[in-house]
């Protein structure tokens, strides 16, 4: 569970470039020896983060609504809050 929370926190910290209209650029970061590749997409009233861990092949899909994050990482269901400023930065990068 700690690794999942670190993953999500890292995703919010790593978002830095806005998405283009028709293509969602891939973002990449490495944490604790694992490399993560993901995209963000604005869907209706939430942001979807989808990706995988290159080292293990595990996938994740997270949905951010306001400052609430829900979804799956590997085969585990996750649900947690993030600071409003982080959620806002993520949502603006997916536009």
């Amino acid at each position: 569970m700690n690794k999942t929370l670190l993953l999500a926190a890292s995703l919010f910290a790593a978002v830095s470039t806005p998405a283009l209209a028709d293509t969602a650029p891939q973002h990449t970061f490495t944490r604790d020896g694992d490399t993560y590749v993901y995209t963000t997409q604005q869907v209706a009233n939430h942001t979807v983060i989808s990706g995988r861990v290159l080292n293990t092949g595990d996938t994740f899909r997270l949905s951010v609504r306001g400052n609430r994050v829900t979804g799956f990482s590997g085969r585990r269901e996750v649900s947690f809050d993030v600071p409003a400023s982080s959620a806002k930065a993520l949502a603006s990068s997916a536009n």
Side-chain angles (χ1 to χ4, degrees), residues 25-90:
Q26 285 193 338
H27 305 277
T28 303
F29 71 95
T30 300
R31 179 164 183 116
D32 297 330
D34 291 324
T35 300
Y36 299 84
V37 177
Y38 67 96
T39 60
T40 59
Q41 181 181 14
Q42 188 67 34
V43 178
N45 64 344
H46 63 281
T47 302
V48 175
I49 305 169
S50 300
R52 64 187 169 95
V53 183
L54 292 180
N55 309 46
T56 64
D58 289 342
T59 60
F60 55 89
R61 182 173 171 90
L62 305 172
S63 178
V64 184
R65 285 185 176 91
N67 67 326
R68 188 74 182 159
V69 180
T70 57
F72 290 88
S73 178
R75 294 179 185 251
R76 292 181 184 223
E77 188 172 357
V78 296
S79 180
F80 54 92
D81 293 322
V82 295
S85 59
S86 295
K88 192 177 219 179
L90 178 64

